[in-house]
Amino acid sequence: MEWYWALALLLGSIVGLMAIGTPVALAFLAANIAGAWIFMGGGNGVVLMLDNGFGALSSFALIPIPLFLLMGELFFHTGLGARMFNAIDRLLGRLPGRLSYVTVLGGTGFATLSGSSMGSTALLGSLMVPEMQRRGYSKTMSIGPILGTGGLAIIIPPSALAVLLATLAKIDVGALLIAGVLPGLVLACLYVAMIWGMTKMNPDAAPAYEVEPISLGAKLWLVFRDIVPMSGVMVVVVLMMLYGIATPSEAAAFGALGVILLAIAFRCLTWAALRKSVEGALKVTLMAYLIVFGSATFSQLLAFSGASRGLINWATGFDLAPMAMLLVIFAVLLLLGMFMEQISIMLLTVPIFFPLAESLGFDLIWFALIMLLSLEISFTTPPFGLLLFVMKGVAPPGTTMRDIYVAAMPFILCSLVLVGLLILFPWLALWAR
C-alpha cells in the first residue's frame, strides 16, 4: 500500500470515529488496533502494538502530570487563588482598567500554579467577569484578558500540556518547561500593553471608580502575605529544574507539597478541598495516560506503514525554505485548532511534525514551544476554540458567542506577535542553555 493511502486510512478512521462522537482516546485505540491488524501482521501485530503502548505508560517523564494537576486543583479548591487576586486588586488602587490588569497579573500567577488553561479560565471567568461588567467594563475588556491569560497556563511552567507534549515528542521535559518562562512573561507584558492601549483609546471601556486607599504598610503586608508565598512556589519549582537541583518529577512533588503547606498555614486545607483536588487531578491524569497510549501506538503504526517517511519526503521535496515550512506547519495547527481540541491535535501531528522539524534542522525545544503557542492560540480561535466555550459556560447571562469571539481577537494578536519574536529571536526560548 502506498504511504498516502496508509496515512489516509489511519487519519480517516480516527476523524470518522470522532465525528460520530467517539471519545478521542477510544477513537485512537480502535483505529490503532485496526491499523496494527492491517500493517503489522494480524493478531501478533496487535499484541506487539499493545505491549509498546503499555511500555510508553511506564515512562518516568509522565510523573509531573498528576503532580502539577494536583497543585492547580489545590490552589483553586483551597481558596489560595482568590486570596492572591484580592491582594492584587487592592494594590492597584484607582488605575484605569485595573480589574483587567488584575486579571492578567493574577491570571499569570494562577497559570504558573495550575498548569490548566480550562481551570484558569473557569476561575477567572466566574470571579472577574460579573464584577467587571457590574462596574461598566466592556465585554472586550472583561472577557478578552481572561481568554488570554487562560492560555498562559500552556507555556508558563508548570504546564501539564507541555509535559505531555515533551513526552509524546521524546524531548527533555525540564528543558521545555524552563523554555516557556521568558516567553510567558513577555506574553503577559504584551497583554498589559494591549489593555493600556485600549483604555487610552476608549476610556469608557473601563470606567474608573473610587476605591478605599490603603497605606504603604498595608500594601507591603498584602504583598508578603498573599502574593509572595503563592508566587514563591512557582519560583522554587522553576529554579530547582533550572539549576539541576531536582528533576521535573521531583520539582513537581515539591510544588504540590508547597501548596499543601501553604493551605495548612492559611488554615484553608479541608478534607472536602483535598478530596475534590485529588478527584480532579485523577480524572485528567487518566485521560492524559490514555492519550499517551494512543499516541505511542499511532506513531508506531505510521512508521510501520511507511506513512511517516513518505510524508516527510513529500514535504521536504518542495522548494521551500525551512522558515517557510515552519509557517505552513503553524498555519496547519491553527486551522486544526478551529475545529479540534488541543490534545487531539497533538496526537495527530506530533508523530509527523517533530520528525519533519528535525529533518529541517530546527531545535526541537524551540519548535515545541512554537507548537505550544499555536495550541495556545487555537484555544481561543473561533469558531470552536475550547476556551471560548468554557468562557460561555461561566459568563453572565446575555453574553453571546459573538461577544466572546470579538473579545478574543486582540489577545490572539498578542500571541501572534510573540510567535514572530520567537522566530526572530530564538534565544527567548533557549535562554537557559
Side-chain angles (χ1 to χ4, degrees):
M1 185 182 295
E2 295 291 341
W3 69 266
Y4 43 84
W5 289 118
L7 182 64
L9 176 64
L10 292 172
L11 293 181
S13 58
I14 292 169
V15 173
L17 287 169
M18 288 193 294
I20 62 175
T22 307
V24 174
L26 295 182
F28 268 86
L29 181 60
N32 288 345
I33 291 174
W37 188 276
I38 296 171
F39 297 112
M40 298 175 63
N44 291 333
V46 173
V47 172
L48 178 61
M49 180 207 70
L50 293 175
D51 287 342
N52 288 335
F54 285 115
L57 294 181
S58 63
S59 172
F60 190 70
L62 291 174
I63 293 177
I65 292 178
L67 293 172
F68 283 151
L69 290 170
L70 181 61
M71 282 177 61
E73 294 288 335
L74 286 167
F75 191 65
F76 174 72
H77 289 295
T78 59
L80 292 174
R83 293 183 70 99
M84 186 171 68
F85 277 105
N86 291 335
I88 295 173
D89 184 27
R90 295 186 65 188
L91 289 171
L92 292 180
R94 294 190 72 256
L95 180 69
R98 73 184 181 96
L99 290 179
S100 296
Y101 291 113
V102 168
T103 299
V104 171
L105 297 175
T108 301
F110 182 71
T112 62
L113 284 169
S114 71
S116 168
S117 291
M118 288 186 290
S120 181
T121 300
L123 172 67
L124 294 171
S126 58
L127 284 179
M128 305 299 296
V129 173
E131 179 65 15
M132 284 193 277
Q133 293 194 2
R134 186 177 71 83
R135 296 186 181 276
Y137 281 55
S138 69
K139 288 185 171 64
T140 299
M141 292 294 291
S142 60
I143 294 173
I146 294 173
L147 292 171
T149 52
L152 280 172
I154 295 180
I155 58 175
I156 292 184
S159 164
L161 198 65
V163 174
L164 184 58
L165 177 61
T167 304
L168 297 178
K170 297 180 175 59
I171 59 177
D172 191 318
V173 174
L176 180 56
L177 288 172
I178 293 169
V181 174
L182 189 55
L185 295 176
V186 170
L187 184 57
C189 291
L190 289 172
Y191 289 161
V192 168
M194 175 66 70
I195 293 169
W196 180 85
M198 292 166 71
T199 56
K200 289 295 183 183
M201 289 187 294
N202 182 15
D204 293 333
Y209 56 90
E210 292 297 327
V211 294
E212 181 183 351
I214 59 175
S215 65
L216 177 60
K219 289 182 178 180
L220 292 175
W221 175 242
L222 283 173
V223 170
F224 285 104
R225 186 191 66 183
D226 293 339
I227 297 177
V228 170
M230 286 44 149
S231 57
V233 173
M234 180 273 294
V235 172
V236 170
V237 167
V238 172
L239 290 180
M240 290 177 76
M241 292 187 293
L242 181 61
Y243 290 103
I245 300 172
T247 65
S249 301
E250 294 164 346
F254 277 110
L257 177 61
V259 176
I260 291 174
L261 293 177
L262 282 178
I264 293 173
F266 284 102
R267 298 181 180 179
C268 54
L269 183 64
T270 63
W271 282 113
L274 188 60
R275 188 190 74 252
K276 290 179 181 177
S277 300
V278 172
E279 287 177 353
L282 181 61
K283 289 177 183 177
V284 181
T285 299
L286 290 175
M287 180 187 68
Y289 272 60
L290 283 173
I291 287 163
V292 171
F293 183 94
S295 177
T297 52
F298 184 63
S299 301
Q300 184 184 26
L301 282 174
L302 288 177
F304 263 88
S305 65
S308 294
R309 177 52 52 192
L311 184 61
I312 292 171
N313 290 338
W314 174 77
T316 54
F318 291 103
D319 189 18
L320 291 176
M323 283 300 155
M325 184 61 72
L326 177 67
L327 294 178
V328 172
I329 291 172
F330 189 77
V332 169
L333 291 171
L334 289 185
L335 181 64
L336 291 175
M338 294 182 184
F339 306 100
M340 298 173 63
E341 50 89 24
Q342 280 56 41
I343 294 174
S344 301
I345 297 172
M346 287 171 54
L347 285 169
L348 286 172
T349 59
V350 165
I352 298 170
F353 284 169
F354 272 84
L356 177 59
E358 189 172 20
S359 70
L360 293 171
F362 295 145
D363 184 287
L364 292 186
I365 298 296
W366 173 83
F367 178 76
L369 193 60
I370 295 286
M371 186 167 181
L372 280 175
L373 273 170
S374 71
L375 295 176
E376 182 264 325
I377 294 170
S378 66
F379 251 39
T380 52
T381 302
F384 301 122
L386 188 59
L387 293 189
L388 302 176
F389 292 97
V390 173
M391 175 56 67
K392 184 65 170 68
V394 299
T399 304
T400 66
M401 287 305 299
R402 182 182 182 279
D403 294 331
I404 297 173
Y405 292 159
V406 172
M409 291 304 173
F411 297 89
I412 291 175
L413 178 61
C414 291
S415 297
L416 292 173
V417 170
L418 178 59
V419 172
L421 291 174
L422 283 172
I423 293 174
L424 293 174
F425 309 107
W427 60 266
L428 286 172
L430 307 175
W431 60 276
R433 293 190 176 182

